[in-house]
Amino acid sequence: MSVVSDTVRVAQPGSAIGQSVRDSLVVAQRNLIRMSRIPEMVIFGLIQPIMFVVLFSYVFGGSMTIAGSNNPDRYREFLMAGIFAQTVTFATAGAGAGIADDMHKGLIDRFRSLPMARGAVLTGRTLADLVQTALTLLVLAVVALLVGWRTHTSVGEVLGAFGLLLLAGYAFTWIGALIGLSVRTPEAATSGGLIWLFPVTFVSNAFVDTGQMTPWLRHVADWNPFSATVQACRELFGNPGVSQSDAWPMQHPVWASLIYSIAIIVIFRTLAVRKYRSATA
């Protein structure tokens, strides 16, 4: 905490945007230092996605049919884009719980006494969560390679896919930030951050081909922002799972993923900062 206090105690000269960026980076540094001192936060965050990879690959992989083939290796390649996307979106719960914990302990009130940009507290928190998400994705990619996942495109396309995943994860952390500011306890933020994520991730193309769903459910899944990111990653990875849907997000998944993510950031950052200002007024 002293690092943050010493850095932002005196307002820095320059534009409001420049100060907001500096303040956000300082808050992000504070949260990263805190994460490094509590390694179990990172370790537990890695266990769940690794369990999903192993369970879906070896328990369900043998009974899944992808593109007319029941080869488990094809399902593992189909699966991984969904697991990657699920991992970055589930970071929402941690972001919400962290902000709710800061509110509950009165840390936000201490930030209010400093001459810093109001939105910097939330932006710094979400940036720190983004770094943790990137670390989780790196470890998860290594595990995926060990169980048989492979890419079949250029390095640039693969990096582009991971870039889309991080952008989507960052967008969803703003939803978590709004939830964290809207509840009274970290426990409520964790529950509130997970309860809506399960239908979002499972009513999608993450684990099964949407062509096997009933027509109305397939329509919902095809227009799900989560599905757009999954489909974009499959295309960029060169993995099986080409959609036969006529829905625009499935025909142009990369653009759809970008548009969805940017729209979520703009909308929920605005709502979260407004909620933050009203909650600390």
Side-chain angles (χ1 to χ4, degrees), residues 19-98:
Q19 180 179 348
S20 179
V21 170
R22 287 191 295 270
D23 293 345
S24 298
L25 292 176
V26 169
V27 176
Q29 181 186 27
R30 172 255 175 191
N31 282 284
L32 289 173
I33 292 173
R34 181 189 179 196
M35 291 177 186
S36 68
R37 292 174 178 172
I38 312 177
E40 56 266 30
M41 292 175 59
V42 179
I43 294 173
F44 291 152
L46 290 171
I47 292 176
Q48 178 177 296
I50 291 174
M51 288 178 59
F52 269 107
V53 171
V54 175
L55 289 174
F56 275 87
S57 296
Y58 292 103
V59 177
F60 299 112
S63 60
M64 294 291 185
T65 300
I66 300 299
S69 170
N70 57 4
N71 185 342
D73 290 336
R74 287 186 62 80
Y75 181 68
R76 290 185 190 115
E77 292 190 354
F78 172 88
L79 170 71
M80 282 316 304
I83 295 292
F84 286 142
Q86 184 191 55
T87 299
V88 300
T89 54
F90 269 45
T92 300

Side-chain angles (χ1 to χ4, degrees), residues 48 89-94 179 188-199 201:
Q48 178 177 296
T89 54
F90 269 45
T92 300
I179 293 173
T190 301
S191 299
L194 288 175
I195 194 170
W196 62 274
L197 279 174
F198 281 101
T201 55

Side-chain angles (χ1 to χ4, degrees), residues 110-166:
R110 299 183 65 182
F111 280 126
R112 287 182 59 203
S113 65
L114 303 175
M116 61 189 300
R118 290 299 189 195
V121 174
L122 301 180
T123 302
R125 174 75 206 198
T126 55
L127 287 175
D129 289 330
L130 180 63
V131 173
Q132 183 177 357
T133 300
L135 176 61
T136 303
L137 273 182
L138 177 61
V139 175
L140 190 58
V142 174
V143 175
L145 290 171
L146 293 176
V147 301
W149 172 66
R150 297 294 183 268
T151 61
H152 307 282
T153 52
S154 66
V155 174
E157 289 173 301
V158 172
L159 293 177
F162 281 110
L164 284 178
L165 287 167
L166 291 175

Side-chain angles (χ1 to χ4, degrees), residues 152-253:
H152 307 282
T153 52
S154 66
V155 174
E157 289 173 301
V158 172
L159 293 177
F162 281 110
L164 284 178
L165 287 167
L166 291 175
L167 180 63
Y170 183 68
F172 274 76
T173 56
W174 280 107
I175 302 178
L178 180 61
I179 293 173
L181 291 168
S182 303
V183 298
R184 296 182 180 181
T185 65
E187 293 79 10
T190 301
S191 299
L194 288 175
I195 194 170
W196 62 274
L197 279 174
F198 281 101
V200 167
T201 55
F202 282 94
V203 183
S204 71
N205 59 357
F207 307 110
V208 297
D209 182 0
T210 57
Q212 302 176 19
M213 299 179 179
T214 57
W216 71 268
L217 193 61
R218 178 179 182 178
H219 184 73
V220 173
D222 286 343
W223 285 89
N224 183 347
F226 181 82
S227 293
T229 298
V230 173
Q231 190 63 30
C233 289
R234 287 191 181 124
E235 285 195 5
L236 294 172
F237 288 145
N239 290 160
V242 177
S243 176
Q244 303 300 318
S245 171
D246 294 330
W248 187 85
M250 295 297 99
Q251 292 296 314
H252 309 277

